Amino acid sequence: MLSQKTIDIVKSTVPVLEIHGETITKTFYKNMFEAHPELLNIFNQTNQKRGRQQTALANTVLAAAKYIDNLGAIVPVVKQIAHKHRSLAVKPEHYPIVGENLLKAIKEVLGDAATDEIINAWAEAYGVIADAFIGIEKDMYKEASEQNNGWEDYKEFRVTDKVQESDLITSFYLRPADGTKVPTYLPGQYITIRINIPGEQYLCNRQYSLSVAPGHDYFRISVKKEAEGEEHEGKVSNYLHKSVQIGDKIEVTAPAGDFVLEEKDTPVVFLAGGVGITPLLSMVQTVSEKQPNRSVQFIQAANNGSVQAFRNELSEIKLADYELGFVYASPTDIDKNNPYFVKEGYVDRDVLAETIKPDADYYVCGPVPFMKSVIATLKELGVTEEKIHFEFFGPAMAL
Ligand code: HEM
């Protein structure tokens, strides 16, 4: 238990941290990776270079500080992060390293303003926050291990098929290299894959949603080839597209994530932007297998038909009440003749207004601008927050 004095000190330093939060976490990462370069095998270097993870951590530390006397209020956020941590094999022994370097960074950036009293209060508070994460993650490791025959972190899988789905998206079918069965998972969950790219000093890992309903003897991920950039962007996806072939081995962690389909009777609307189709495809296939009478509307947005993945799989879904629509930003004449073509442009207010039904649940996945605009418009149209379920690619806090 933290003393009231510690709680007061921690809360009163939040405004200072809000001003310096990002500088502190940047300093923290720099120091931590100098002292523990082995952690570069865990962290996504592209996120690091673009400052995304820095912001995520800064925001979370501040959020936790504000709720330090009521951490229960932020359990849903902690759980979502804990899923990511578990899927990346973050372990309890990593927490003191993060804690030590975070405190050092606070001291370095705040200078004399960081008195011993403040540092000690933060050390205590960090301990409480870290214990909350460690506790939730411990349960998740236990559950993963129980459900997956002792599989806790990375395990070798073999690429058993590689299928091009569009000009930009290729699917990889993965089966355990030791011949064991793939475990079941919840539609919407993701896996982490880890690969050793020749010429790279550290291992690279990435999360990809499972793009097929559970119940097969393989995992399927569908990877968009990202544009390659100076800040490491596209390294992993391009390597997967160009160099990883059928028969190759890659390491995989057990499925994780809390953006999952709820088995309810309400009508459901899926809104997919670009490669955000992947978890939603797994979900809609699951609805068709388990709840064929549930009312489903599926809207897929893509730039045009050549970069659109899974057009056929979506049109083959069998449901009693199923409405499918494609929205293309720059359609070709062929796209405009597609029987499911709805509109040239974006998933805007007009498109969304057509989807409004009492009690419908909305599942939204796509790039950040798509998510921001779709979620804001749904709210304007009167859809309540608890009816909007979403996930996008990148640290969740960025939304
Ligand atoms: C991701 C917070 C401890 C490694 C994240 C995210 C947040 C966060 C907010 C983004 C979640 C998302 O992508 O949806 C925290 C907090 C911690 C903590 C508040 C301490 C209380 C740790 C530790 C490690 C770690 C001890 C391991 C050394 C990672 C990694 C990611 C991540 C590798 C994935 C993002 C990336 O690679 O850029 N964490 N974390 N975290 N965390 Fe933590």
Side-chain angles (χ1 to χ4, degrees):
M1 270 297 274
L2 295 174
S3 69
Q4 192 55 44
K5 193 169 173 209
T6 303
I7 292 171
D8 292 344
I9 294 172
V10 167
K11 284 191 164 185
S12 69
T13 48
V14 170
V16 186
L17 280 173
E18 268 170 347
I19 298 167
H20 296 288
E22 267 192 70
T23 326
I24 290 168
T25 35
K26 271 189 185 140
T27 312
F28 150 72
Y29 278 113
K30 191 176 149 285
N31 292 347
M32 184 170 75
F33 291 140
E34 267 166 25
H36 291 275
E38 75 282 2
L39 292 182
L40 288 164
N41 291 311
I42 304 184
F43 283 85
N44 175 331
Q45 296 309 293
T46 311
N47 283 353
Q48 285 300 314
K49 291 200 172 111
R50 296 168 123 191
R52 287 162 88 180
Q53 170 63 8
Q54 277 92 335
T55 325
L57 187 68
N59 285 346
T60 311
V61 171
L62 289 183
K66 282 181 191 160
Y67 291 92
I68 192 68
D69 46 354
N70 180 20
L71 281 180
I74 57 166
V75 162
V77 182
V78 175
K79 273 200 168 157
Q80 190 193 13
I81 300 164
H83 270 284
K84 190 65 79 60
H85 283 161
R86 200 236 78 209
S87 134
L88 283 156
V90 170
K91 295 284 167 70
E93 58 268 27
H94 293 132
Y95 280 85
I97 302 175
V98 165
E100 187 193 327
N101 285 286
L102 197 56
L103 292 174
K104 267 195 197 155
I106 292 177
K107 241 188 139 88
E108 206 175 307
V109 175
L110 296 188
D112 289 344
T115 59
D116 285 351
E117 199 176 40
I118 290 178
I119 293 297
N120 291 339
W122 269 96
E124 270 191 69
Y126 175 80
V128 171
I129 297 166
D131 283 348
F133 276 85
I134 291 169
I136 288 176
E137 285 160 21
K138 192 175 159 211
D139 291 343
M140 287 181 178
Y141 278 111
K142 191 163 167 267
E143 202 182 309
S145 169
E146 281 167 7
Q147 286 173 2
N148 306 311
N149 245 340
W151 176 22
E152 269 200 10
D153 45 44
Y154 286 97
K155 175 167 155 166
E156 276 194 329
F157 273 61
R158 203 177 284 284
V159 177
T160 55
D161 210 355
K162 187 176 171 185
V163 177
Q164 188 171 355
E165 310 286 2
S166 79
D167 286 357
L168 286 180
I169 297 176
T170 290
S171 288
F172 295 82
Y173 287 70
L174 307 169
R175 289 179 167 85
D178 62 6
T180 53
K181 282 190 167 169
V182 294
T184 191
Y185 51 89
L186 300 171
Q189 287 196 304
Y190 58 80
I191 54 171
T192 295
I193 64 151
R194 185 165 72 176
I195 51 175
N196 193 350
I197 300 183
E200 288 293 313
Q201 202 180 349
Y202 299 101
L203 298 169
C204 293
N205 56 55
R206 290 290 182 277
Q207 283 78 46
Y208 293 106
S209 299
L210 293 159
S211 62
V212 69
H216 298 276
D217 63 347
Y218 52 79
F219 285 153
R220 182 177 75 175
I221 56 170
S222 305
V223 179
K224 178 183 170 205
K225 186 166 56 166
E226 300 287 350
E228 281 183 280
E230 281 175 9
E231 292 178 332
H232 217 267
E233 298 100 319
K235 260 251 144 64
V236 172
S237 66
N238 277 276
Y239 183 74
L240 286 168
H241 273 248
K242 289 177 197 157
S243 305
V244 172
Q245 306 300 351
I246 294 173
D248 288 352
K249 282 186 191 166
I250 53 182
E251 291 180 298
V252 174
T253 60
D258 58 1
F259 174 60
V260 293
L261 177 75
E262 288 174 40
E263 221 175 289
K264 299 202 292 192
D265 292 331
T266 50
V268 57
V269 181
F270 295 106
L271 300 164
V275 74
I277 177 72
T278 47
L280 302 188
L281 180 58
S282 171
M283 290 185 192
V284 73
Q285 288 175 343
T286 306
V287 179
S288 98
E289 282 166 24
K290 293 194 168 172
Q291 301 178 283
N293 292 318
R294 192 170 178 184
S295 158
V296 175
Q297 191 168 0
F298 201 115
I299 296 174
Q300 183 187 25
N303 200 30
N304 58 51
S306 67
V307 293
Q308 180 188 18
F310 303 120
R311 209 172 21 232
N312 291 344
E313 288 194 29
L314 283 174
S315 60
E316 284 160 7
I317 295 282
K318 299 266 179 297
L319 282 159
D321 178 11
Y322 180 52
E323 210 179 312
L324 175 64
F326 301 147
V327 175
Y328 297 117
S330 322
T332 60
D333 288 343
I334 297 174
D335 296 334
K336 286 182 186 166
N337 286 324
N338 187 296
Y340 300 105
F341 175 65
V342 170
K343 176 176 177 128
E344 172 167 356
Y346 298 95
V347 181
D348 56 16
R349 198 185 167 94
D350 291 346
V351 174
L352 291 172
E354 296 280 313
T355 71
I356 302 296
K357 300 179 194 89
D359 294 334
D361 275 282
Y362 290 79
Y363 288 84
V364 191
C365 190
V368 178
F370 172 88
M371 305 280 301
K372 280 191 171 161
S373 132
V374 165
I375 292 172
T377 312
L378 285 175
K379 286 184 184 165
E380 277 168 33
L381 290 165
V383 182
T384 53
E385 226 158 79
E386 69 275 10
K387 291 290 198 180
I388 306 175
H389 316 268
F390 62 88
E391 177 170 86
F392 73 103
F393 301 100
M397 292 285 170
L399 205 67

